[in-house]
PDB file of all heavy atoms in Angstrom:
ATOM      1  N   ARG S  59    -155.469 -48.695 -72.384  1.00  0.00           N
ATOM      2  CA  ARG S  59    -154.607 -48.960 -73.535  1.00  0.00           C
ATOM      3  C   ARG S  59    -153.150 -48.845 -73.148  1.00  0.00           C
ATOM      4  O   ARG S  59    -152.786 -48.059 -72.273  1.00  0.00           O
ATOM      5  CB  ARG S  59    -154.882 -47.937 -74.641  1.00  0.00           C
ATOM      6  CG  ARG S  59    -156.223 -48.104 -75.283  1.00  0.00           C
ATOM      7  CD  ARG S  59    -156.406 -47.003 -76.331  1.00  0.00           C
ATOM      8  NE  ARG S  59    -157.822 -46.703 -76.442  1.00  0.00           N
ATOM      9  CZ  ARG S  59    -158.343 -45.486 -76.327  1.00  0.00           C
ATOM     10  NH1 ARG S  59    -157.564 -44.454 -76.135  1.00  0.00           N
ATOM     11  NH2 ARG S  59    -159.632 -45.308 -76.423  1.00  0.00           N
ATOM     12  N   LEU S  64    -154.164 -42.339 -68.447  1.00  0.00           N
ATOM     13  CA  LEU S  64    -155.582 -42.424 -68.136  1.00  0.00           C
ATOM     14  C   LEU S  64    -155.835 -41.852 -66.745  1.00  0.00           C
ATOM     15  O   LEU S  64    -155.136 -42.187 -65.801  1.00  0.00           O
ATOM     16  CB  LEU S  64    -156.046 -43.879 -68.164  1.00  0.00           C
ATOM     17  CG  LEU S  64    -157.515 -44.054 -67.807  1.00  0.00           C
ATOM     18  CD1 LEU S  64    -158.356 -44.088 -69.068  1.00  0.00           C
ATOM     19  CD2 LEU S  64    -157.733 -45.306 -66.979  1.00  0.00           C
ATOM     20  N   THR S  65    -156.814 -40.984 -66.620  1.00  0.00           N
ATOM     21  CA  THR S  65    -157.129 -40.407 -65.327  1.00  0.00           C
ATOM     22  C   THR S  65    -158.495 -40.875 -64.857  1.00  0.00           C
ATOM     23  O   THR S  65    -159.459 -40.839 -65.620  1.00  0.00           O
ATOM     24  CB  THR S  65    -157.107 -38.866 -65.401  1.00  0.00           C
ATOM     25  OG1 THR S  65    -155.803 -38.455 -65.747  1.00  0.00           O
ATOM     26  CG2 THR S  65    -157.488 -38.258 -64.068  1.00  0.00           C
ATOM     27  N   SER S 233    -154.136 -35.656 -69.040  1.00  0.00           N
ATOM     28  CA  SER S 233    -154.612 -36.967 -69.499  1.00  0.00           C
ATOM     29  C   SER S 233    -154.739 -37.096 -71.009  1.00  0.00           C
ATOM     30  O   SER S 233    -155.002 -36.125 -71.715  1.00  0.00           O
ATOM     31  CB  SER S 233    -155.996 -37.241 -68.915  1.00  0.00           C
ATOM     32  OG  SER S 233    -156.063 -36.800 -67.597  1.00  0.00           O
ATOM     33  N   ASP S 234    -154.551 -38.316 -71.482  1.00  0.00           N
ATOM     34  CA  ASP S 234    -154.983 -38.657 -72.830  1.00  0.00           C
ATOM     35  C   ASP S 234    -156.479 -38.963 -72.802  1.00  0.00           C
ATOM     36  O   ASP S 234    -157.203 -38.709 -73.744  1.00  0.00           O
ATOM     37  CB  ASP S 234    -154.252 -39.909 -73.336  1.00  0.00           C
ATOM     38  CG  ASP S 234    -152.757 -39.650 -73.476  1.00  0.00           C
ATOM     39  OD1 ASP S 234    -152.396 -38.525 -73.862  1.00  0.00           O
ATOM     40  OD2 ASP S 234    -151.973 -40.570 -73.186  1.00  0.00           O
ATOM     41  N   ARG S 235    -156.890 -39.546 -71.682  1.00  0.00           N
ATOM     42  CA  ARG S 235    -158.278 -39.976 -71.559  1.00  0.00           C
ATOM     43  C   ARG S 235    -158.693 -39.840 -70.102  1.00  0.00           C
ATOM     44  O   ARG S 235    -157.910 -40.154 -69.201  1.00  0.00           O
ATOM     45  CB  ARG S 235    -158.417 -41.440 -72.002  1.00  0.00           C
ATOM     46  CG  ARG S 235    -159.823 -41.896 -72.286  1.00  0.00           C
ATOM     47  CD  ARG S 235    -159.797 -43.066 -73.249  1.00  0.00           C
ATOM     48  NE  ARG S 235    -159.122 -44.218 -72.656  1.00  0.00           N
ATOM     49  CZ  ARG S 235    -159.772 -45.249 -72.112  1.00  0.00           C
ATOM     50  NH1 ARG S 235    -161.073 -45.282 -72.098  1.00  0.00           N
ATOM     51  NH2 ARG S 235    -159.095 -46.259 -71.600  1.00  0.00           N
ATOM     52  N   ILE S 236    -159.915 -39.387 -69.893  1.00  0.00           N
ATOM     53  CA  ILE S 236    -160.428 -39.232 -68.527  1.00  0.00           C
ATOM     54  C   ILE S 236    -161.645 -40.136 -68.357  1.00  0.00           C
ATOM     55  O   ILE S 236    -162.480 -40.235 -69.251  1.00  0.00           O
ATOM     56  CB  ILE S 236    -160.857 -37.768 -68.258  1.00  0.00           C
ATOM     57  CG1 ILE S 236    -159.675 -36.813 -68.450  1.00  0.00           C
ATOM     58  CG2 ILE S 236    -161.440 -37.613 -66.862  1.00  0.00           C
ATOM     59  CD1 ILE S 236    -160.052 -35.346 -68.324  1.00  0.00           C
ATOM     60  N   VAL S 237    -161.684 -40.815 -67.203  1.00  0.00           N
ATOM     61  CA  VAL S 237    -162.864 -41.608 -66.857  1.00  0.00           C
ATOM     62  C   VAL S 237    -163.484 -40.942 -65.641  1.00  0.00           C
ATOM     63  O   VAL S 237    -162.836 -40.801 -64.612  1.00  0.00           O
ATOM     64  CB  VAL S 237    -162.476 -43.063 -66.528  1.00  0.00           C
ATOM     65  CG1 VAL S 237    -163.679 -43.830 -66.025  1.00  0.00           C
ATOM     66  CG2 VAL S 237    -161.870 -43.730 -67.747  1.00  0.00           C
ATOM     67  N   ILE S 238    -164.721 -40.491 -65.780  1.00  0.00           N
ATOM     68  CA  ILE S 238    -165.364 -39.803 -64.662  1.00  0.00           C
ATOM     69  C   ILE S 238    -166.253 -40.780 -63.900  1.00  0.00           C
ATOM     70  O   ILE S 238    -167.115 -41.439 -64.477  1.00  0.00           O
ATOM     71  CB  ILE S 238    -166.187 -38.597 -65.147  1.00  0.00           C
ATOM     72  CG1 ILE S 238    -165.240 -37.581 -65.779  1.00  0.00           C
ATOM     73  CG2 ILE S 238    -166.955 -37.972 -64.000  1.00  0.00           C
ATOM     74  CD1 ILE S 238    -165.901 -36.310 -66.228  1.00  0.00           C
ATOM     75  N   ILE S 244    -169.021 -45.668 -63.697  1.00  0.00           N
ATOM     76  CA  ILE S 244    -168.436 -44.746 -64.665  1.00  0.00           C
ATOM     77  C   ILE S 244    -169.553 -43.912 -65.287  1.00  0.00           C
ATOM     78  O   ILE S 244    -170.545 -44.440 -65.787  1.00  0.00           O
ATOM     79  CB  ILE S 244    -167.678 -45.527 -65.754  1.00  0.00           C
ATOM     80  CG1 ILE S 244    -166.436 -46.173 -65.139  1.00  0.00           C
ATOM     81  CG2 ILE S 244    -167.277 -44.583 -66.894  1.00  0.00           C
ATOM     82  CD1 ILE S 244    -165.670 -47.063 -66.087  1.00  0.00           C
ATOM     83  N   GLN S 246    -168.890 -41.190 -67.590  1.00  0.00           N
ATOM     84  CA  GLN S 246    -168.558 -40.879 -68.962  1.00  0.00           C
ATOM     85  C   GLN S 246    -167.041 -40.981 -69.101  1.00  0.00           C
ATOM     86  O   GLN S 246    -166.314 -40.750 -68.141  1.00  0.00           O
ATOM     87  CB  GLN S 246    -169.001 -39.451 -69.298  1.00  0.00           C
ATOM     88  CG  GLN S 246    -169.057 -39.176 -70.793  1.00  0.00           C
ATOM     89  CD  GLN S 246    -169.637 -37.802 -71.103  1.00  0.00           C
ATOM     90  OE1 GLN S 246    -170.231 -37.162 -70.240  1.00  0.00           O
ATOM     91  NE2 GLN S 246    -169.462 -37.364 -72.330  1.00  0.00           N
ATOM     92  N   GLU S 247    -166.572 -41.349 -70.286  1.00  0.00           N
ATOM     93  CA  GLU S 247    -165.135 -41.370 -70.504  1.00  0.00           C
ATOM     94  C   GLU S 247    -164.814 -40.824 -71.883  1.00  0.00           C
ATOM     95  O   GLU S 247    -165.638 -40.896 -72.797  1.00  0.00           O
ATOM     96  CB  GLU S 247    -164.575 -42.775 -70.335  1.00  0.00           C
ATOM     97  CG  GLU S 247    -165.267 -43.842 -71.167  1.00  0.00           C
ATOM     98  CD  GLU S 247    -164.647 -45.204 -70.937  1.00  0.00           C
ATOM     99  OE1 GLU S 247    -163.612 -45.489 -71.554  1.00  0.00           O
ATOM    100  OE2 GLU S 247    -165.219 -45.963 -70.135  1.00  0.00           O
ATOM    101  N   GLY S 248    -163.632 -40.257 -72.016  1.00  0.00           N
ATOM    102  CA  GLY S 248    -163.249 -39.699 -73.297  1.00  0.00           C
ATOM    103  C   GLY S 248    -162.041 -38.798 -73.151  1.00  0.00           C
ATOM    104  O   GLY S 248    -161.530 -38.614 -72.039  1.00  0.00           O
ATOM    105  N   ALA S 249    -161.582 -38.244 -74.274  1.00  0.00           N
ATOM    106  CA  ALA S 249    -160.462 -37.309 -74.233  1.00  0.00           C
ATOM    107  C   ALA S 249    -160.914 -36.047 -73.510  1.00  0.00           C
ATOM    108  O   ALA S 249    -162.109 -35.745 -73.486  1.00  0.00           O
ATOM    109  CB  ALA S 249    -160.017 -36.993 -75.656  1.00  0.00           C
ATOM    110  N   PRO S 250    -159.964 -35.310 -72.891  1.00  0.00           N
ATOM    111  CA  PRO S 250    -160.345 -34.133 -72.108  1.00  0.00           C
ATOM    112  C   PRO S 250    -161.241 -33.163 -72.882  1.00  0.00           C
ATOM    113  O   PRO S 250    -162.298 -32.752 -72.386  1.00  0.00           O
ATOM    114  CB  PRO S 250    -159.001 -33.488 -71.772  1.00  0.00           C
ATOM    115  CG  PRO S 250    -158.042 -34.609 -71.742  1.00  0.00           C
ATOM    116  CD  PRO S 250    -158.521 -35.569 -72.794  1.00  0.00           C
ATOM    117  N   GLY S 251    -160.856 -32.803 -74.116  1.00  0.00           N
ATOM    118  CA  GLY S 251    -161.631 -31.852 -74.892  1.00  0.00           C
ATOM    119  C   GLY S 251    -163.028 -32.370 -75.210  1.00  0.00           C
ATOM    120  O   GLY S 251    -164.018 -31.658 -75.125  1.00  0.00           O
ATOM    121  N   GLU S 252    -163.094 -33.652 -75.509  1.00  0.00           N
ATOM    122  CA  GLU S 252    -164.364 -34.300 -75.833  1.00  0.00           C
ATOM    123  C   GLU S 252    -165.321 -34.242 -74.627  1.00  0.00           C
ATOM    124  O   GLU S 252    -166.494 -33.900 -74.749  1.00  0.00           O
ATOM    125  CB  GLU S 252    -164.032 -35.740 -76.199  1.00  0.00           C
ATOM    126  CG  GLU S 252    -165.123 -36.576 -76.775  1.00  0.00           C
ATOM    127  CD  GLU S 252    -164.599 -37.999 -76.969  1.00  0.00           C
ATOM    128  OE1 GLU S 252    -163.384 -38.171 -77.259  1.00  0.00           O
ATOM    129  OE2 GLU S 252    -165.394 -38.935 -76.797  1.00  0.00           O
ATOM    130  N   LEU S 253    -164.777 -34.559 -73.441  1.00  0.00           N
ATOM    131  CA  LEU S 253    -165.609 -34.537 -72.243  1.00  0.00           C
ATOM    132  C   LEU S 253    -166.051 -33.126 -71.917  1.00  0.00           C
ATOM    133  O   LEU S 253    -167.185 -32.896 -71.492  1.00  0.00           O
ATOM    134  CB  LEU S 253    -164.845 -35.109 -71.047  1.00  0.00           C
ATOM    135  CG  LEU S 253    -164.692 -36.609 -70.966  1.00  0.00           C
ATOM    136  CD1 LEU S 253    -163.967 -36.974 -69.683  1.00  0.00           C
ATOM    137  CD2 LEU S 253    -166.044 -37.282 -70.999  1.00  0.00           C
ATOM    138  N   TYR S 254    -165.139 -32.181 -72.110  1.00  0.00           N
ATOM    139  CA  TYR S 254    -165.449 -30.808 -71.744  1.00  0.00           C
ATOM    140  C   TYR S 254    -166.508 -30.250 -72.687  1.00  0.00           C
ATOM    141  O   TYR S 254    -167.431 -29.571 -72.260  1.00  0.00           O
ATOM    142  CB  TYR S 254    -164.176 -29.956 -71.807  1.00  0.00           C
ATOM    143  CG  TYR S 254    -164.361 -28.570 -71.239  1.00  0.00           C
ATOM    144  CD1 TYR S 254    -164.305 -28.351 -69.864  1.00  0.00           C
ATOM    145  CD2 TYR S 254    -164.616 -27.491 -72.070  1.00  0.00           C
ATOM    146  CE1 TYR S 254    -164.489 -27.091 -69.334  1.00  0.00           C
ATOM    147  CE2 TYR S 254    -164.806 -26.224 -71.547  1.00  0.00           C
ATOM    148  CZ  TYR S 254    -164.732 -26.033 -70.176  1.00  0.00           C
ATOM    149  OH  TYR S 254    -164.932 -24.774 -69.650  1.00  0.00           O
ATOM    150  N   LEU S 266    -166.621 -31.250 -64.403  1.00  0.00           N
ATOM    151  CA  LEU S 266    -165.495 -30.890 -65.258  1.00  0.00           C
ATOM    152  C   LEU S 266    -165.752 -29.471 -65.756  1.00  0.00           C
ATOM    153  O   LEU S 266    -166.473 -29.252 -66.698  1.00  0.00           O
ATOM    154  CB  LEU S 266    -165.454 -31.871 -66.438  1.00  0.00           C
ATOM    155  CG  LEU S 266    -164.095 -32.142 -67.067  1.00  0.00           C
ATOM    156  CD1 LEU S 266    -163.134 -32.728 -66.057  1.00  0.00           C
ATOM    157  CD2 LEU S 266    -164.252 -33.086 -68.237  1.00  0.00           C
TER     158      LEU S 266
END
Side-chain angles (χ1 to χ4, degrees):
Chain S
R59 291 178 209 127
L64 178 95
T65 298
S233 320
D234 295 324
R235 196 155 64 100
I236 301 175
V237 174
I238 296 183
I244 291 175
Q246 196 174 346
E247 53 180 278
E252 189 184 327
L253 283 183
Y254 189 81
L266 208 60

